[in-house]
Amino acid sequence: MNSTHSPLSRSRKRFMAAAASIALAGTIGLGAVTTGAIPVYADPVRVDAVQVPSFADVVDHVSPAVVSVQVKAKIAPASDTGDGAYFDQRGFDNLPDNHPLKRFFRQFGEDGNGNQNRGPKFNRGGNQKPRPVAQGSGFFISDDGYLVTNNHVVGDGTAYTVVTGDGKEYDAKLIGTDPRTDLAVLKVDADTKFTYVSFADDAKVRVGDWVVAVGNPFGLGGTVTAGIVSARGRDIGAGPYDDFIQIDAAVNRGNSGGPAFNLNGEVVGINTAIFSPSGGSVGIAFAIPASTAKQVVADLMKTGSVQRGWLGIEIQPVTADIAESLGLKSEKGALVASAQDAGPAKKAGILSGDIVTAVDGKEVASPKELSRLIGGIAPGKTVDVTVWRNGKNETVKVGLGELPGTDKQASADKPSTQSEATSLADLGLTVTPNEDGKGLVVTDVDPSSDAADRGIQAGDVITAVNAVEVSAPADVSKALDQAEKAGRKAVLFQISRDNGNRFVALPVNQG
């Protein structure tokens, strides 16, 4: 019996055959993917962050100018005996061979053959070989070999070697030093042109600016650290012209004399000191500002020394009490404690008790600033010094002298035999007239008084009150009454102690 197929069944057969072909092809295709194709992964995580500036370009340009400074000195030995020390070992021959004393004298007295061995040879005079005493950093400021470093790096040296970043060594000679700013200039004479760097205008340097320190810490060779300017105008008690830039770039031993650069490759400061309880970097370093270094270095290159202007006065800060006692609106300025007899200031009429408020129109905020201003002016130049005196500003013309090597001190009368003492109860002081009639000697101080709090001691001499000389207790009482009538809350006492002068402000009414 022949079977018949309807159109529907034929279509179904064709569909099933096509499906089988697709399935077979799919199976073959999957097999090809799993055995030969490269797998496709998801995209990795990517963060588009703000890019921090790289210091690499700056370092590439400035590093050749930075050098290691190696310092040697001829050091005499502790025991210099000419041809050597001779130890007489007679009397020790009977000691056992292994006795410590016999071994000692065998080494330093005679050798095994009985010949005299006079020990190590010590040369006298300047014949001893220079020995390493210090190592620091420096940088070239001219292509003919002038370079800058710290005075404390080269101060004890007699011979100097400069090592560049590529390992070449050059002998250098000392051109000049300035201990007051801790700067020094060396010179390398060689038939080559050195890469050098220039000083920046540090007046434009702001707290928060990037800095790059390059140097030779611990003798490791050229090392780079980076940080920011942390503060300006730091006074760390290193000298009379302290005005350091504080940075937080890592600075360690051996970085002294090395430069701190801005991102333009200019020297903004010379790394000089660090604050470190541990001896290593804790992120507090101090650099000499470029403006200071530029001026000092120019003088050293020209003459080998620095000539500074000199007023010839002893000065102290203006406190709130002192400002109140003199009618000043602010605590700015430098109070003249004394004017030295041979000094330019006294010759020009500047007096003890004056407050210097400006020099050539530049405001003086503190004694340090006055020292820097005057020190930056050449000796012999005449300057206008503005002083606060008797409740008003006066201008005095002063021809500056040259700062001597050792600052002079004004002489003061020392207390001598004391006569009958008088109590100034309102001030907590007991005084007696000075024997020579100049001033009042303090014989006792109430420990609970403002006078004691401000450091007045027995033996001090009160020479003036509110710029008026005193020779009797009544003079003090009169000055207190005048200050009270004028509405002043304090009076200014001039105190002499140990050949020095200072001013102390005391309240008009105590207690």
Side-chain angles (χ1 to χ4, degrees), residues 229-408:
V229 174
S230 303
R232 297 290 311 265
R234 289 299 198 209
D235 180 356
I236 62 174
Y241 308 111
D242 281 14
D243 184 27
F244 290 104
I245 297 173
Q246 181 183 328
I247 64 176
D248 71 348
V251 173
N252 289 286
R253 298 180 186 274
N255 272 116
S256 290
F261 294 101
N262 60 21
L263 296 188
N264 293 325
E266 299 168 319
V267 178
V268 298
I270 301 172
N271 301 318
T272 296
I274 62 173
F275 173 78
S276 175
S278 64
S281 173
V282 294
I284 302 177
F286 303 99
I288 302 168
S291 56
T292 300
K294 187 175 182 180
Q295 181 178 347
V296 170
V297 166
D299 287 345
L300 293 177
M301 291 173 64
K302 186 182 301 183
T303 65
S305 61
V306 180
Q307 287 76 43
R308 291 187 171 91
W310 178 57
L311 275 176
I313 56 177
E314 293 180 359
I315 51 180
Q316 69 181 74
V318 178
T319 64
D321 288 337
I322 290 175
E324 165 62 29
S325 69
L326 296 176
L328 273 175
K329 295 181 180 179
S330 67
E331 302 167 28
K332 295 181 179 180
L335 176 60
V336 179
S338 66
Q340 299 178 17
D341 290 335
K346 189 166 186 176
K347 293 178 182 178
I350 292 179
L351 307 172
S352 296
D354 288 346
I355 294 181
V356 179
T357 58
V359 175
D360 281 343
K362 296 179 181 179
E363 186 178 86
V364 172
S366 66
K368 285 284 187 182
E369 188 165 349
L370 176 60
S371 297
R372 288 194 295 268
L373 283 174
I374 296 299
I377 302 173
K381 183 178 180 182
T382 299
V383 296
D384 291 330
V385 179
T386 303
V387 299
W388 179 263
R389 180 189 298 169
N390 298 327
K392 61 181 181 180
N393 280 316
E394 297 183 19
T395 300
V396 180
K397 289 189 176 295
V398 183
L400 297 181
E402 182 176 348
L403 181 66
T406 303
D407 293 338
K408 299 177 181 178

Side-chain angles (χ1 to χ4, degrees), residues 185-197:
V185 174
L186 296 171
K187 176 69 163 61
V188 173
D189 292 319
D191 294 330
T192 184
K193 295 293 185 181
F194 295 101
T195 300
Y196 67 97
V197 290

